[in-house]
């Protein structure tokens, strides 16, 4: 992504086949790493306990048939050809599906929705027809609030399972790769060697995250490509040498024979078979960095054939080795020739680390999206690339994931339990994606409910079949993703619930405009030089924290701006459409409202550039508000608070215009103490000259207002934020008390404050204490 334009960089490269092939090559390392390393553990997990390898080969043929058709139906047909098209202006993932649904039906629980948001160029791309706007599904969802809450809970469930997969995938991948040591040492020594080596690699993997994936991403694609060539070559070698007729196992007949022979134990072993599609969700989640065509080419031409050959090679070898020595286990390294076993072992560890990188990056992205939409506590987000929006690093989450991965590796210590846990997390995410995609088909694609229901029943039945097998392994490791999902859902739901209640409290207690207009020196309230930026979650009215500020300090700034930073259910808001600016009260009051709109994957500006753009937008608003006949557009105080104009943001350091032939240089810079305690911030200069037009000159009031804005900038800017204390009402249910008084307050104390998240300089910060009784 290009953070300046808000559009995908790959649009420029997909115009030619050369660009498409380049993107397909790059997607191998970023998207398909997790999927490509699944041959390390699928057969080993499947044959762990539930079924045994008999001399009839029915188990081997049945497992291979299940693997082939699962890879064909889920990643190939479902994701590559259907789900990848359910993108949100090029973005994929659970929140992309949710944002699409929210834009086509009024089901979003996020506050601060405005009709003007629908005018965003990225808001919707599908034309609507009159007969389609009254869809029964749409009306049904909009009518029942409980269904809207249930939809959000389902999205949170999918999000929690993805984050849980971020704990399990690195552990499973690295542990499976390192388990190859079992072929070179005794079982006793193997147990003491694999876990420490796995933990060491996990620590190294997470320690490198702060440098950003873009620094080593050029290595990802060749590593995964080499790995795919390696496993496909090994597959061909073992097919030719051991069992050239293994192709007959691709028939669906062997799936039914497998279940008929193995019965319940075979059904329970499906929890290991489904691991062949782990990483499929990454295709959709990482769609923003690539195009549909490039990802389709990479999977169908390279990844899919290589995986099929690898699994067939393993099955061909195992079909001719019925009696296996006790020191060997059914696994990946068994069918690797001894002459190249160690090079393949090293390559497998490197490929496992690369495959783990994809899910770690996906976890960072989905947590960033969650907190942007008010569903996760504020955490520090570091953008590791200035050119690619989406490559981020979250320190708190990174170290938490590392500790959890080490705890899982030490606690489980075997591939079987890790596979059970990962399988349940995987199928839960896929079920959520299937349900949301079926809604997208009806609401967004305007397809027949019959088509959507057919999609839901066909793929949903397959996933429920696998999910039930994974759920039977609850005691043997499947409890872990459920526990992680419950904890994460509780965190997200409590945070979102408290945020909605605080917003309702602010709406109920906001101050009237008449009260603001009545403030003056006659009642002891003075106007002081400078600009006051009052942060609020309200899109209209005067927030109660400002009245509390006036009560304790009877003075406010000559230029007063009520700033609302809100998130829209789109991935990106173009910079030219980011600022909505209007007046609060009459022009001579010098009070304004600025609504700054962000998408859930937008990059936050530095406070310097944000302040500069905001003030430049005010200057543009003052200039463009006046008609060319020199008369301001008449409006009352109440109308002024509801009339907002889109002001293009100025991302340059100098804007030159002409003010009646005279130039006025306005220096916009944030003031700090004379003693530098932090790295000095670069002062940005904005020069704007209001241009003398060929028509009538602008009225003197505009020049006077711009001069006051200049003087206020010279005096400095103060950031006024509310510092909230939240508690539940007396007599509230015990569940609400636990959620507000304990859970939310604990999260609030241990997350980043709004002043840190907004990067407000401490020297310019004014905090107003607020008590919320919810």
């Amino acid at each position: 992504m290009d953070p300046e334009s808000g559009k995908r960089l790959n649009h420029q490269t997909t115009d030619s086949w050369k660009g498409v092939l380049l993107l397909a090559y790059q997607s191998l390392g970023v998207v398909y790493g997790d999927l490509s390393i699944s041959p390390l553990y699928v057969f080993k997990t499947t044959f762990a306990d539930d079924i045994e390898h008999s001399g009839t080969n029915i188990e081997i043929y049945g497992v291979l048939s299940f693997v082939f058709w699962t890879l064909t139906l889920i990643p190939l047909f479902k994701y590559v050809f259907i789900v990848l098209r359910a993108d949100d202006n090029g973005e994929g993932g659970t929140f992309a599906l949710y944002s699409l649904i929210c834009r086509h039906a009024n089901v979003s629980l996020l506050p601060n929705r405005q009709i003007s948001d629908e005018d965003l160029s990225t808001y919707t791309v599908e034309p609507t027809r009159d007969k389609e706007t009254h869809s029964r599904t749409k009306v049904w969802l909009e009518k029942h609030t409980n269904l809207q809450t249930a939809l959000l809970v389902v999205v949170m469930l999918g999000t929690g399972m993805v984050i849980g997969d971020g704990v399990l995938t690195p552990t499973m991948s690295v542990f499976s790769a390192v388990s190859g040591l079992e072929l070179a040492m005794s079982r006793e020594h193997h147990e003491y060697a694999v876990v420490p080596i796995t933990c060491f690699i996990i620590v190294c993997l997470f320690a490198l995250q702060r440098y950003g994936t873009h620094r080593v991403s050029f290595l990802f694609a060749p590593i995964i490509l080499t790995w795919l060539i390696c496993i496909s070559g090994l597959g061909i070698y073992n097919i030719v040498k051991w069992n050239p007729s293994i192709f007959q196992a691709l028939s669906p007949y062997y799936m039914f024979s497998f279940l008929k022979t193995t019965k319940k134990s075979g059904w329970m072993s499906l929890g290991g078979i489904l691991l062949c599609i782990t990483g499929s969700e990454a295709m959709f989640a990482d769609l923003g960095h690539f195009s549909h065509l490039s990802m389709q080419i990479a999977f169908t031409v390279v990844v899919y054939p290589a995986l099929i050959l690898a699994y067939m090679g393993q099955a061909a070898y195992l079909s001719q080795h019925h009696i296996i020595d006790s020191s060997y286990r059914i696994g990946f390294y068994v069918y690797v020739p001894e002459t190249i076993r160690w090079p393949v072992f090293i390559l497998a560890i490197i490929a496992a680390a690369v495959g783990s990188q994809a899910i770690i990056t996906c976890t960072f992205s989905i947590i960033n999206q969650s907190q942007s939409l008010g569903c996760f506590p504020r955490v520090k987000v570091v953008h590791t690339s200035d050119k690619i929006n989406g490559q981020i690093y979250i320190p708190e989450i990174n170290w938490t994931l590392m500790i959890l991965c080490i705890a899982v590796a030490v606690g489980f210590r075997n591939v079987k339990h890790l596979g059970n846990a990962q399988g349940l997390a995987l199928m839960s995410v896929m079920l959520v994606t299937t349900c949301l995609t079926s809604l997208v088909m009806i609401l967004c694609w305007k397809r027949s409910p019959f088509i959507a229901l057919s999609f839901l029943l066909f793929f949903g039945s397959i996933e429920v079949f696998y999910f039930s097998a994974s759920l039977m392994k609850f005691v043997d490791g499947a409890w872990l993703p459920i526990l992680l999902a419950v904890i994460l859902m509780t965190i997200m739901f409590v945070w979102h619930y408290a945020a909605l209640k605080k917003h309702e409290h602010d709406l109920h207690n906001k101050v009237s405009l008449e009260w603001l207009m009545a403030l003056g020196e006659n009642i002891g309230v003075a106007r002081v030089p400078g600009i006051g930026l009052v942060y609020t979650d309200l899109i209209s009215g005067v927030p109660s924290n400002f009245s509390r500020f006036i009560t304790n300090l009877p003075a406010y700034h000559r230029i007063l701006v009520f700033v609302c930073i809100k998130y829209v259910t789109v991935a990106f808001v173009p910079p030219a459409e980011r600022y909505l600016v209007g007046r609060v009260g009459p022009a001579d009051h010098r009070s304004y409202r600025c609504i700054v709109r962000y998408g859930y994957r937008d990059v936050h500006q530095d406070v310097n550039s944000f302040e500069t753009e905001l003030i430049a937008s005010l200057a543009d608003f003052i200039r463009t508000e006046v008609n060319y006949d020199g008369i301001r557009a008449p409006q009352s105080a109440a109308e002024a608070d509801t009339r907002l104009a889109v002001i293009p943001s100025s991302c340059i350091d100098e804007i030159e215009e002409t003010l009646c032939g005279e130039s006025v240089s306005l220096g916009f810079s944030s003031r700090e103490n004379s003693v530098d305690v932090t790295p000095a911030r670069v002062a940005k200069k904005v020069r704007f000259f209001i241009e003398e037009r060929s028509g009538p000159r602008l009225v003197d009031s505009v020049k006077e207002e711009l001069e006051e804005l200049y003087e206020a900038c010279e005096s400095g800017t103060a950031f006024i934020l509310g510092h909230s204390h939240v508690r539940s009402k007396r007599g509230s249910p015990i569940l609400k008390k636990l959620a507000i008084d304990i859970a939310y307050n604990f999260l609030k104390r241990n997350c980043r404050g709004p002043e840190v998240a907004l990067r407000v300089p401490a020297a310019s910060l004014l905090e107003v204490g607020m008590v919320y009784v919810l």
Side-chain angles (χ1 to χ4, degrees), residues 557-572:
H557 298 83
R558 181 55 185 157
I559 302 294
L560 188 64
V561 185
F562 295 99
V563 180
C564 174
I565 296 179
K566 59 176 288 187
Y567 290 89
V568 189
T569 53
V570 296
F572 299 96

Side-chain angles (χ1 to χ4, degrees), residues 78 82 106 137 226 292 314 322 466 590 599 663 671 699 713:
K78 176 188 170 183
I82 300 178
N106 187 18
T137 305
T226 304
H292 298 120
Q314 292 187 58
H322 300 161
Y466 277 118
R590 302 298 189 254
S663 65
R671 302 306 180 97
V699 293
C713 291

Side-chain angles (χ1 to χ4, degrees), residues 209-214 289 357 360-369 371 380-385 388-395 398 600-603:
Q209 296 302 313
R210 64 189 183 94
Y211 295 105
T213 57
H214 69 287
H289 301 294
Q357 179 63 53
I360 294 172
T361 303
C362 180
T363 303
F364 290 158
S365 298
I366 201 167
I367 288 179
N368 184 45
Q369 296 173 20
Q371 73 165 355
K380 180 181 181 180
V381 178
V382 179
H383 296 272
T384 59
S385 175
I388 304 177
N389 182 34
Q391 292 192 358
I392 60 176
Y393 167 67
I394 305 178
N398 181 69
Y600 56 80
R601 292 201 66 179
D602 268 324
V603 179

Side-chain angles (χ1 to χ4, degrees), residues 378-434:
R378 291 179 294 267
V379 291
K380 180 181 181 180
V381 178
V382 179
H383 296 272
T384 59
S385 175
D386 295 331
K387 297 181 180 179
I388 304 177
N389 182 34
Q391 292 192 358
I392 60 176
Y393 167 67
I394 305 178
E396 297 95 330
I397 301 301
N398 181 69
W399 303 122
T400 302
L401 287 177
M402 186 194 74
I403 294 172
L404 290 175
C405 285
I406 293 175
V408 170
V410 174
F412 281 7
R413 298 188 181 184
N414 64 74
V415 175
K416 173 192 170 184
H417 289 171
L418 287 171
N420 295 337
Q422 189 180 15
L424 185 64
L426 174 66
M427 296 317 302
S428 300
V429 176
M430 288 189 172
L431 277 171
V432 170
T433 300
T434 301

Side-chain angles (χ1 to χ4, degrees), residues 77-394:
F77 288 165
K78 176 188 170 183
Y79 279 93
V80 171
F81 293 114
I82 300 178
V83 176
L84 286 183
R85 299 187 178 278
D87 65 298
D88 180 13
N89 289 288
E91 294 300 317
T94 306
F95 275 100
L97 293 173
Y98 182 63
S99 66
L100 279 174
I101 295 171
C102 290
R103 294 207 304 271
H104 290 81
N106 187 18
V107 296
S108 175
L109 298 178
L110 298 174
N112 289 343
R113 295 189 63 189
Q114 292 176 280
I115 297 179
S116 58
D117 295 337
E118 300 180 8
D119 297 330
L120 291 169
S121 59
T122 55
Y123 192 85
T124 184
V125 292
E126 298 88 357
T128 58
R129 297 188 287 270
D130 292 339
K131 65 179 181 179
E132 295 169 340
T133 56
H134 300 288
S135 167
R136 291 182 179 180
T137 305
K138 177 183 177 181
V139 174
W140 187 50
L141 287 174
E142 292 179 344
K143 184 178 180 181
H144 297 86
T145 307
N146 292 336
L147 291 177
Q148 300 171 16
T149 305
L151 179 63
L152 181 62
V153 170
V154 169
V155 173
M156 289 180 177
L157 173 63
T159 303
M161 286 296 181
V162 170
I163 299 173
D165 198 19
V167 175
L168 297 168
T169 294
T171 310
M172 181 69 171
S173 302
V174 176
F175 194 94
S176 300
V178 178
S179 293
L181 292 173
E182 67 185 355
L183 301 177
M185 58 180 62
S186 64
R187 182 172 183 178
E188 292 75 13
H189 293 94
H190 166 257
E191 291 181 352
Y192 289 106
V194 172
V195 174
I197 295 175
T198 300
C199 294
F200 175 76
I201 295 175
I202 289 174
V203 171
C204 293
L205 177 64
F206 283 97
L208 292 174
Q209 296 302 313
R210 64 189 183 94
Y211 295 105
T213 57
H214 69 287
R215 298 184 184 274
V216 292
S217 60
F218 68 94
L219 293 175
F220 287 5
I223 289 173
I224 295 301
L225 182 60
T226 304
W227 170 253
L228 290 171
I229 294 173
C230 174
I231 61 176
S232 59
L234 288 171
I236 294 173
Y237 168 80
N238 283 275
I239 291 172
V240 173
K241 182 175 181 179
W242 299 112
N243 190 356
S245 62
I246 194 66
F247 288 94
Q248 64 182 347
L250 303 182
S251 171
Y253 165 78
Y254 288 96
M255 290 193 296
F256 298 104
S257 299
F258 171 80
L259 292 177
K260 182 179 179 180
T261 302
T262 58
K263 298 181 181 178
K264 182 179 179 180
S265 60
W267 170 60
M268 295 182 67
S269 69
L270 295 178
I273 295 174
L274 65 87
L275 295 179
C276 68
I277 55 176
T278 180
S280 299
E281 188 70 23
M283 284 192 286
F284 186 45
D286 293 330
L287 179 61
H289 301 294
F290 306 97
S291 63
H292 298 120
L293 184 58
S294 63
M295 296 181 71
Q296 289 172 347
I297 291 174
F299 184 80
T300 55
V301 177
V302 181
V303 180
Y304 179 75
L307 290 176
I308 297 299
L309 289 173
Y311 288 117
M312 290 177 64
Q314 292 187 58
Y317 177 89
L318 295 174
S319 66
Q320 301 300 318
H321 293 75
H322 300 161
I323 301 175
I324 301 177
D325 187 74
S326 59
S327 62
Y328 284 70
R329 298 179 182 178
I330 295 179
F332 174 79
Y333 294 103
V334 175
Y335 88 121
V336 179
E338 292 186 7
T339 55
I340 60 171
R341 187 166 291 168
W342 285 109
V344 173
F345 173 74
I346 295 173
L347 178 61
I349 292 178
I350 298 174
V354 172
S356 302
Q357 179 63 53
I359 191 64
I360 294 172
T361 303
C362 180
T363 303
F364 290 158
S365 298
I366 201 167
I367 288 179
N368 184 45
Q369 296 173 20
S370 301
Q371 73 165 355
S372 297
L373 295 177
C375 297
F376 201 85
R378 291 179 294 267
V379 291
K380 180 181 181 180
V381 178
V382 179
H383 296 272
T384 59
S385 175
D386 295 331
K387 297 181 180 179
I388 304 177
N389 182 34
Q391 292 192 358
I392 60 176
Y393 167 67
I394 305 178

